[in-house]
Amino acid sequence: MARDKGKQKASSREPMQLLDNENFLTKLAELFESTKESGTVWLTQKRSTYDVDGDAQMQQDINEDQEYPCLLRATDGKTHISTQIFSKDLLKFHAAYGTLLKSSMSHLRKRDKKREKQKAERIALRKKKLEQDIIIDGPKRGNGRKKRQRKIKAAIKQQEARKAAVKRDEERAKTETIECI
C-alpha cells in the first residue's frame, strides 16, 4: 500500500525541465522570488557525461579532447528546472548566474552573532576558572566544615578537568601532525 502512495507522489510531481541558459536564469529568478518570504531553493551542479541521444558513456578510455557540458539543476521541492552549459558559453553564463545569486542573497537570514558571542564568552570564562586554583581554607571541624568539603570536591573536579583538557590538546596535536603528513 505504501508503494502505491509513493508512485502517486512521484507522478504528481512536475518533471524536470531542460531549459536553455537564458530561460533557466529567468525561471531561477522566479524561484528565488517565490521563496523570498519562506522556503528553500536547492542548486546542484555537476559535469554531464551523457550523449545527446540520452545514452550514458560506459567506455573506460578517457578522451582528453572531449569537452563535457556542465549540468545545473534548481528546485524548490515543487518546480524542477535544469540547463546544460557548454564550455563556450560558460563565462557569459557564470557572470549572469553570479549576479543573480548576489542579488538573491539579500533574502538570507542573518547569523545570530549575539549567541555566538555569548558562547565564546562562556568558554573563555570556563577556561579562566580552570586556570585559577581553588584555595581550600576554613576549619576542618565546626562552622564552615561543609564549605571546606565543597571546596575540596571542587578542587578534585578541577584537577580532573585539567587532565582531560591536556589529554584533548594532545589528541588534537596528534591529529594535526597526522594531517600535515
Side-chain angles (χ1 to χ4, degrees):
M1 194 94 184
R3 289 183 183 166
D4 293 337
K5 288 182 182 179
K7 287 180 182 177
Q8 288 174 353
K9 268 188 176 180
S11 64
S12 66
R13 192 174 73 180
E14 184 179 317
M16 180 80 64
Q17 298 175 7
L18 186 62
L19 305 169
D20 64 296
N21 296 344
E22 299 295 324
N23 288 338
F24 177 82
L25 291 173
T26 54
K27 290 276 190 183
L28 185 60
E30 290 172 11
L31 270 179
F32 282 134
E33 235 3 85
S34 68
T35 57
K36 187 175 184 177
E37 294 300 319
S38 67
T40 306
V41 176
W42 290 275
L43 298 168
T44 58
Q45 182 174 342
K46 69 177 196 173
R47 185 182 86 169
S48 179
T49 57
Y50 292 97
D51 285 334
V52 178
D53 59 350
D55 293 334
Q57 295 177 353
M58 302 300 281
Q59 302 165 348
Q60 290 294 336
D61 59 330
I62 299 172
N63 296 338
E64 292 180 15
D65 298 336
Q66 188 174 4
E67 294 180 3
Y68 295 103
C70 180
L71 180 65
L72 188 64
R73 297 179 183 142
T75 181
D76 63 351
K78 299 173 194 164
T79 308
H80 303 274
I81 57 173
S82 64
T83 188
Q84 279 190 336
I85 307 125
F86 294 96
S87 58
K88 62 180 180 177
D89 304 326
L90 191 63
L91 294 176
K92 180 180 146 188
F93 178 80
H94 270 289
Y97 179 60
T99 305
L100 176 63
L101 288 179
K102 286 177 188 174
S103 67
S104 302
M105 293 293 172
S106 63
H107 307 300
L108 296 176
R109 287 187 308 227
K110 292 187 178 180
R111 283 184 11 209
D112 191 2
K113 294 181 183 178
K114 185 178 178 182
R115 286 187 181 174
E116 291 176 11
K117 185 177 177 183
Q118 288 173 345
K119 184 178 179 183
E121 288 173 353
R122 282 194 311 264
I123 291 171
L125 183 64
R126 193 178 312 140
K127 284 184 179 180
K128 187 177 177 182
K129 280 187 175 181
L130 193 62
E131 292 173 0
Q132 293 177 349
D133 290 328
I134 296 175
I135 300 170
I136 301 171
D137 58 349
K140 291 184 180 178
R141 293 180 185 86
N143 292 339
R145 178 174 176 263
K146 288 186 178 181
K147 185 177 180 181
R148 180 183 173 94
Q149 288 176 339
R150 282 194 301 269
K151 285 185 178 182
I152 291 171
K153 284 184 181 179
I156 293 169
K157 190 175 178 181
Q158 185 183 43
Q159 287 175 349
E160 290 172 357
R162 285 179 181 171
K163 287 179 185 177
V166 168
K167 191 174 182 180
R168 270 194 314 263
D169 291 340
E170 289 173 357
E171 289 293 323
R172 201 173 291 143
K174 282 181 184 177
T175 56
E176 287 177 1
T177 56
I178 290 172
E179 289 174 0
C180 291
I181 295 173

